[in-house]
Amino acid sequence: MKVLKKNRFNKFYFEKKVLLCAVLAVFAGGVFYSQNENVNDGVLAESLEKTESSENSEKKSASEDSEKLKKEKAEDSKEKKEDSKEKKEESKKSKKAKKTEKTDESDKKQEKNKEITKIDPYLGDVYIPVKKYSLFFENYSIECNSERGTFNFYSAQKNRKKTPVFSNYEDSISSSFFLKIGKTVYCLNKDSAVQKELWKTANGARLVYTINNKARVAIDFSFEPEETVKKIFALEQNDEKIVTEQDGNLLKTEEDEEVSDDVVLPGVIKIRAYVTNLSEKKANFALKAVLDTSVGEGADFHFLTENGLSFNSEHQFENMLKERALCVSDSKTSAEFVFEGKNISSPEVVTIANIAYLNSPRWIMVSESGRSFNSLNAYNNSGISVVWPQKKLQKEETYSIQFFAGISSNGRKCDTLKYVDFVETDSTKKVEKTEPAASFDVQGSKKADVDFIVQNVTEKQLDFEYIQNLINRIDALESTDTDVDRNELRQLNSELDAILAALRKRN
């Protein structure tokens, strides 16, 4: 029993102890929890404080950054404004500089133009060197090229291509002028010894050919004044008689009428050549023109003369006193070349033949009347050769020859002879220092102090041997290197002219 009681007591004590331990454990757990909760609250508070501080810091930083950005933007805006201002100033300066450059360029161009504007040392007029140059009148043009020293005349029909008067093969190289110095002949647009230039002058175009230390040939091309051509054409239309004063100027009458706008006027061209001696010694000079005509080569007759003759084969004219002019024509275009008349230099000989024969080295070709215009290389290829008498020139002495050409279109006949016969041309170039023979009429030349007129020609003077001796004497005087008696030379030439005129009357 005791033992049982003791066990029961021990068991009770043990349970009580366990209960106490449990109570203590619960109490201790509550205290621990309370302390742990306080610790966690502190950590959380501290974390919250840190977070709040971080947010404030970020806000402050953001605010600072914003202010910084504003400042930067303001500075950028200021810089941009300054840059814009600088750019505007630079633009203004640039524009001003460009304007100045343009002005400078304009001034330079003007200075350049001033530099290239020169004065002809022999003829005294102003010129501008050019590479190519064209003159225009109505539907017609004169075109020149400095590189090859060539020229051509053109007629342009309405809505049609322009028609060349001369062959335009290789820039019209087959139409040319020749110069003979002593016994040496130069083809001015083909010979490599000849320097070629083209000048624009106040009146037209000038081709200049220079042979160093020997000679210079200047060829002027110009259209005659439009108002004068209109005047002549209007008078012709009204069938009025053209009245002239003693000086050759036209008189206007009340019956004159204006030319209607739909009428195409003919173009009158003046061709004038100046030959200057550039050598130290006096020498004999002669000029020849070879014109390779293309208009009219398909017609029944290649050439027509003013006195009604027609030719479709070779022929040589000893003078052009009766024929005066040669005309070439097709159904649309006509061209006329006047070699005899007022202010025209009378040629020594004129030949129509195949162009290959005319361009041969021989100064005056031996003509075969009636020979065709054909050759091995070309069919009906005709041309005109005009040779003027030779002249003896002193150092830097100049003489000139002159003739006229005319172009018309729409099948109309040329009026070149009317112009030559009734209009006194402008004589502005009085450069000749020579005293040409009476048989050679040179525009603007110095006239002889004494006119030698042979009243009567005797039978003795008509004798062939007498005439040959007279010619030999003239040639001997002209070819001598010593001073000659000019009066004697003029007297002999006048006598020869009178004899030739008497022979022509007999024939």
Side-chain angles (χ1 to χ4, degrees), residues 254-270:
E254 295 179 357
E255 299 176 4
D256 293 346
E257 294 181 3
E258 293 295 326
V259 180
S260 60
D261 294 333
D262 60 340
V263 173
V264 178
L265 296 170
V268 180
I269 302 169
K270 180 167 70 176

Side-chain angles (χ1 to χ4, degrees), residues 116-129:
I116 63 173
T117 301
K118 302 178 180 180
I119 297 177
D120 191 315
Y122 301 102
L123 302 180
D125 49 1
V126 177
Y127 70 90
I128 299 174

Side-chain angles (χ1 to χ4, degrees), residues 464-478:
F464 175 78
E465 187 177 351
Y466 181 90
I467 296 171
Q468 188 60 55
N469 290 334
L470 181 62
I471 293 171
N472 292 341
R473 175 58 180 160
I474 292 171
D475 289 341
L477 286 171
E478 288 182 341

Side-chain angles (χ1 to χ4, degrees), residues 226-244:
E226 181 179 0
E227 59 272 14
T228 313
V229 177
K230 277 187 175 181
K231 172 69 178 175
I232 292 175
F233 184 71
L235 287 170
E236 178 197 318
Q237 289 292 98
N238 299 330
D239 293 325
E240 294 180 26
K241 184 178 179 181
I242 299 177
V243 183
T244 60

Side-chain angles (χ1 to χ4, degrees), residues 182-363:
K183 295 182 179 180
T184 306
V185 177
Y186 298 88
C187 180
L188 297 180
N189 64 0
K190 292 179 184 176
D191 202 308
S192 59
V194 181
Q195 179 187 346
K196 305 161 192 68
E197 295 176 89
L198 175 60
W199 297 352
K200 177 183 176 181
T201 65
N203 297 321
R206 177 176 295 167
L207 278 168
V208 181
Y209 307 93
T210 305
I211 306 167
N212 286 338
N213 302 319
K214 291 185 178 180
R216 191 191 86 155
V217 179
I219 315 289
D220 279 1
F221 300 93
S222 61
F223 281 111
E224 290 297 84
E226 181 179 0
E227 59 272 14
T228 313
V229 177
K230 277 187 175 181
K231 172 69 178 175
I232 292 175
F233 184 71
L235 287 170
E236 178 197 318
Q237 289 292 98
N238 299 330
D239 293 325
E240 294 180 26
K241 184 178 179 181
I242 299 177
V243 183
T244 60
E245 293 178 337
Q246 288 183 355
D247 61 359
N249 293 323
L250 288 171
L251 289 173
K252 188 172 182 179
T253 66
E254 295 179 357
E255 299 176 4
D256 293 346
E257 294 181 3
E258 293 295 326
V259 180
S260 60
D261 294 333
D262 60 340
V263 173
V264 178
L265 296 170
V268 180
I269 302 169
K270 180 167 70 176
I271 303 104
R272 189 170 185 186
Y274 302 89
V275 181
T276 304
N277 182 8
L278 300 183
S279 67
E280 295 296 324
K281 297 180 179 179
K282 60 183 178 181
N284 287 316
F285 295 83
L287 198 65
K288 176 171 75 171
V290 173
L291 309 174
D292 185 4
T293 54
S294 59
V295 171
E297 288 187 345
D300 292 336
F301 296 101
H302 284 222
F303 299 97
L304 302 171
T305 65
E306 180 61 20
N307 61 344
L309 299 177
S310 56
F311 297 90
N312 58 5
S313 60
E314 187 175 310
H315 189 79
Q316 194 167 71
F317 304 89
E318 292 184 2
N319 59 66
M320 295 293 290
L321 293 173
K322 293 179 180 179
E323 294 81 9
R324 301 195 61 200
L326 289 172
C327 182
V328 292
S329 181
D330 56 27
S331 60
K332 293 293 182 181
T333 303
S334 295
E336 186 176 36
F337 306 93
V338 183
F339 300 119
E340 193 65 53
K342 186 183 294 183
N343 299 309
I344 292 178
S345 308
S346 301
E348 181 180 353
V349 62
V350 175
T351 308
I352 52 175
N354 178 275
I355 194 65
Y357 298 151
L358 298 179
N359 274 316
S360 64
R362 193 180 184 94
W363 185 246

